[in-house]
Amino acid sequence: MDATFWALIGLIIFLAILAYLKVPAMMGRSLDERAANIAKELDEARTLREEAQALLAEYHRKRKEAEKEAGEIVASAQREAAALLTEAKEKSEEYIVRRNKLAEQKITQAETDAVNQVRASAVEIAVAAAGTLIANKMDAKTAGEMFKSSLEQVKSNLN
């Protein structure tokens, strides 16, 4: 009986005790539970991954929509700016035309006023000259006759 024999006997007794205490069944149940937990965690991980991919796809879609909307806003702003610029140019041109017309009217009015002043001045000078000529050539008899005819003319006009 050598030490190997006793080691074999000890091993058999140990295995018998393990079998009697149902250690292999406990180990099987433990491994089954662990396998079930691992499968459950894999399912949860797969579900979370699918949800994450769905969220990622949704964020990509929203980002593209936001970029498209931003592009539309920029294009709209550019169109509005161009329209405002065109409108401002038109209004400026209209303002310039109105101001030019007003200036031309003022110039024409000033010319008319100047011509009228010259005419009035010429009339005054002519009347003064005629008065001076008539006064120099008129005598008392002619003045009396002119006074009488003027008085008769005023009487006939009043009636």
Side-chain angles (χ1 to χ4, degrees), residues 81-141:
L84 288 174
L85 181 63
T86 303
E87 183 180 342
K89 284 182 181 178
E90 290 174 0
K91 286 187 177 184
S92 295
E93 290 173 2
E94 290 174 5
Y95 178 74
I96 290 170
V97 167
R98 282 195 316 266
R99 294 296 288 182
N100 283 342
K101 280 185 179 180
L102 184 61
E104 289 172 0
Q105 288 174 352
K106 285 183 179 181
I107 290 170
T108 304
Q109 184 64 39
E111 288 176 352
T112 304
D113 289 345
V115 167
N116 288 340
Q117 284 180 350
V118 168
R119 282 184 185 160
S121 179
V123 168
E124 288 176 10
I125 292 172
V127 168
T132 305
L133 282 176
I134 292 174
N136 288 341
K137 289 189 176 183
M138 192 177 287
D139 56 358
K141 182 181 177 185

Side-chain angles (χ1 to χ4, degrees), residues 53-104:
Q53 286 178 340
L55 282 174
L56 180 64
E58 183 178 346
Y59 285 127
H60 281 293
R61 182 184 55 81
K62 285 183 179 180
R63 183 191 57 138
K64 286 181 182 179
E65 288 176 1
E67 287 175 353
K68 181 181 176 184
E69 187 176 335
E72 290 173 357
I73 290 171
V74 167
S76 174
Q78 288 175 342
R79 285 191 304 270
E80 287 181 24
L84 288 174
L85 181 63
T86 303
E87 183 180 342
K89 284 182 181 178
E90 290 174 0
K91 286 187 177 184
S92 295
E93 290 173 2
E94 290 174 5
Y95 178 74
I96 290 170
V97 167
R98 282 195 316 266
R99 294 296 288 182
N100 283 342
K101 280 185 179 180
L102 184 61
E104 289 172 0

